[in-house]
Structures are given as C-alpha cells and as structure tokens.
Amino acid sequence: MTALVIAEHDGATVKAATLHVVTAALACASGDVHVLVAGESAAEAAGSVARIAGVARVIAADGPSLADNLAENLGAQILAMAQGYSHILFAASAHGKNVAPRVAAKLDVAQVSEITQVIAPDIFERPIYAGNVIATVQSSDAIKVITVRTSSFVAAAASGGSAEVQHVEGVSGTTRTTFVGREESKSERPELTAAQVIVAGGRGLGSAGHFMDVLAPLADTLHAGLGASLAAVEEGFAPNDWQVGQSGKIVAPQLYIACGISGAVQHLAGIRDAKVIVAINSDEEAPIFALADYGLVADLFIAVPELVAALEAA
Ligand code: FAD
C-alpha cells in the first residue's frame, strides 16, 4: 500500500500543511509515501519535499497547465497516476478541498473528509456536528481519497529525508477553464493555521478600527496572528481570511486569546485544538468561558490595552 500526498507550495516553498499530511500518510500506508509536487518550474519546492523525513519519492510534474493550481488540471494530473496508490491525501485546506472532491468523484469513490486520526489503513476518525461528535468511519474503496485536518497530526520533520525525485511531464490542460488572476492578501503576521499565538476578536470589538487600535497592538506584542469570528467578518470588521471556526479556519495555536467573542459552537469548533484558550468578555455568562482555560470578565477596551502595557513593561 503506497500513499500519495498532494503537496501545497508556491513553486519555491512548501506549505507547513504538507508536513502534517505526510505524517497522516505514514500512518495510513504500510508501504512508501510519495508526494506529488505539481507546478511549473517548481524544482525548488520539489527539492524541499525530497528532504521531508519519511518521504520515499517525490513526483515532480511540470508543465504550464499546472502553473496556477487549477483544480481541473491538478485533478487530471492526480487521476493520471492514481491507480498505483491505496491512499491519496490532501490537506483539508481551501486548496485541498478544491481538488479532492473532483478526484474522488472521477474515481467513483467516497471521499473521507477531514480525518483527525488513523485507526487502521481503512478506518479513520473525523469530527461531525461542528466537532461535538467524533465519527469512526471505514472505507472499503480501493483508493481512499482523504482530506486531513492538519492540526490533528504533528508535522513531519522538514529535513533528514533524501527521497528520489521523479520528473514527469504535466498533463495537457483543460480548455474549458482558464486562469484569469489572483488577488492575495499579504500580511507580515503569521498565517492562522500555523500561528503559535492568535489574538481574535468578535462582534464585541464594534468596528474595523477597533481591530486595528485595540487588538493589533496585542497581536504585535505577542507576534501573533489576528483572527475573527464570523460575526466580526460579516459586520465588516475583519477580512474573510481571518475567520476562525467551523466554516473558517481550524487553528491549533499554543495560545488563543478571544476578545469579545461569545463562544458559539461554530466558533469553538475551530479552536478546540488550541493548547491554552484565554477569553475576555464582559458577559460572565458567555459560553466561551466554559471552554476557556483562563477567563477574564471585563470590558475588552479596558483590559486589552492594560494587558499590552503590562506585557511591554515586563
Ligand atoms: P456575538 O455572539 O454577538 O458575541 C459578541 C460577544 O462580545 C458577546 O459575548 C458580548 O458579551 C461580548 N462583548 C460585547 N462588548 C464587549 C466588550 N466591550 N468587552 C468584552 N466583551 C464584549 N462563527 C464563527 O465565529 N466561525 C465560524 O466558522 C462560523 N461558522 C458558522 C457556520 C454555520 C453553519 C452557522 C449557522 C454559524 C456559524 N458561525 C460561525 C456563527 C456563530 O453561530 C455565531 O453567530 C458567531 O460566532 C458569533 O460571533 P461573536 O461571538 O463575535 O458575536
């Protein structure tokens, strides 16, 4: 049984998510773990993947059709090589969720979504009902198409491996979909799914300006990522890619500081893997206090600046 991991990369750098998926793949396969690095001129990324501990082979598929991560073309590349594999694994990220269903449908298999544990090569745990129930599922499909909740698997070591790199020509692209453009938000802050510390705000912040005036200084002091509840995003206080929760990002920082967030079940679904949760809320009945390790019943507009001042003085 050989597992195939679909790498996420920007041509040069491999995303941290891929390291976590490699660990899940090693747990699934009794044989080797291969990693597909699909792109155009992505030799640097392929070289990085070859150094990941536990990877036996890197398949570097190169061609113009693979330059822009179109799901149609990447899916076709995966399907062209799928028959040799028992498991095909993606991160349960926007990228993985874009491609995996296409691959599963074309293979006529049931995708196993967002696994959090591998019990056996065909048996997996996955959360359902916003993480309130853990389902144990068994797949009888010959090829198991899986998305992996990366926060549930430790990262494989980025160095120490010496996989062979096999070069293959990229598939010819579809003519039905063309890449038009990409708008990416750039930030100096850590990416939420990889951040060690996250400071998050909810509707209680009251405005986009307060995210910057009140929360950003705390995030700066702690070198933290900035997150938000869905309500804060919908109110226009924070951009969409800051959203944490069931329909946002699933995060697993060492420290999560929730300010003015009530703790709806859909928000909590995204932060259950955080090591330490701190909640600042003026309502002592707020549900977030039931999950928080440390709770402060306070007006965040007083407590957060005081916290920043104390941290700066320390
Ligand atoms: P509220 O519930 O309005 O809470 C605001 C909190 O701020 C209150 O507890 C209040 O006491 C506190 N507060 C106000 N002023 C202050 C102050 N000055 N100082 C301190 N505290 C103050 N939500 C997510 O976050 N992420 C998701 O991914 C997500 N997915 C969803 C998916 C579905 C299918 C559905 C139905 C809902 C989803 N939601 C999600 C929405 C979720 O149910 C809640 O509506 C949302 O999380 C509430 O956000 P909030 O806590 O910021 O707002």
Side-chain angles (χ1 to χ4, degrees), residues 22 41 48 76 121 132 167 187 194 197 221 233 246 257 266 285:
V22 166
S41 307
S48 300
N132 287 312
H167 294 276
S187 171
V197 182
T221 311
V233 171
Q246 181 189 333
I257 305 179
Q266 296 90 355
E285 302 289 329

Side-chain angles (χ1 to χ4, degrees), residues 23-277:
T23 301
L26 287 165
C28 288
S30 54
D32 288 343
V33 169
H34 296 177
V35 180
L36 171 66
V37 179
E40 187 178 30
S41 307
E44 202 177 332
S48 300
V49 173
R51 291 190 290 278
I52 298 175
V55 175
R57 182 186 301 171
V58 176
I59 299 159
D62 197 283
S65 72
L66 300 172
D68 300 306
N69 267 324
L70 281 182
E72 290 82 351
N73 295 349
L74 178 54
Q77 183 68 51
I78 296 164
L79 289 165
M81 51 200 284
Q83 292 307 329
Y85 293 100
S86 56
H87 299 74
I88 301 176
L89 298 103
F90 304 74
S93 57
H95 178 270
K97 289 176 183 174
N98 195 23
V99 186
R102 167 172 291 269
V103 172
K106 294 263 188 186
L107 289 172
D108 197 20
V109 301
Q111 177 180 308
V112 185
S113 299
E114 212 145 326
I115 63 165
T116 52
Q117 204 181 330
V118 178
I119 310 285
D122 60 344
I123 303 176
F124 312 94
E125 283 187 359
R126 57 179 300 265
I128 56 174
Y129 299 120
N132 287 312
V133 175
I134 303 297
T136 303
V137 295
Q138 183 165 26
S139 167
S140 55
D141 286 319
I143 303 175
K144 292 159 195 26
V145 175
I146 295 169
T147 62
V148 175
R149 181 171 285 193
T150 53
S151 59
S152 299
F153 294 86
V154 296
S159 60
S162 56
E164 60 162 314
V165 180
Q166 177 190 350
H167 294 276
V168 301
E169 201 173 320
V171 290
S172 54
T174 174
T175 51
R176 296 170 68 189
T177 310
T178 49
F179 178 77
V180 175
R182 174 180 289 121
E183 283 177 36
E184 289 182 330
S185 54
K186 296 265 181 247
S187 171
E188 297 298 309
R189 297 186 191 283
E191 211 278 311
L192 284 177
T193 54
Q196 293 296 300
V197 182
I198 294 173
V199 174
R203 202 193 317 258
L205 261 293
S207 73
H210 288 149
F211 261 82
M212 287 303 121
D213 303 345
V214 181
L215 278 204
L218 181 57
D220 290 342
T221 311
L222 296 170
H223 307 293
L226 268 175
S229 69
L230 173 61
V233 171
E234 284 182 343
E235 297 277 3
F237 302 167
N240 183 275
D241 61 340
W242 290 11
Q243 188 192 323
V244 173
Q246 181 189 333
S247 50
K249 290 184 175 152
I250 307 291
V251 299
Q254 294 296 315
L255 175 61
Y256 187 85
I257 305 179
C259 305
I261 294 177
S262 60
V265 61
Q266 296 90 355
H267 188 81
L268 302 185
I271 64 172
R272 286 186 194 280
D273 291 331
K275 288 280 179 301
V276 175
I277 297 172

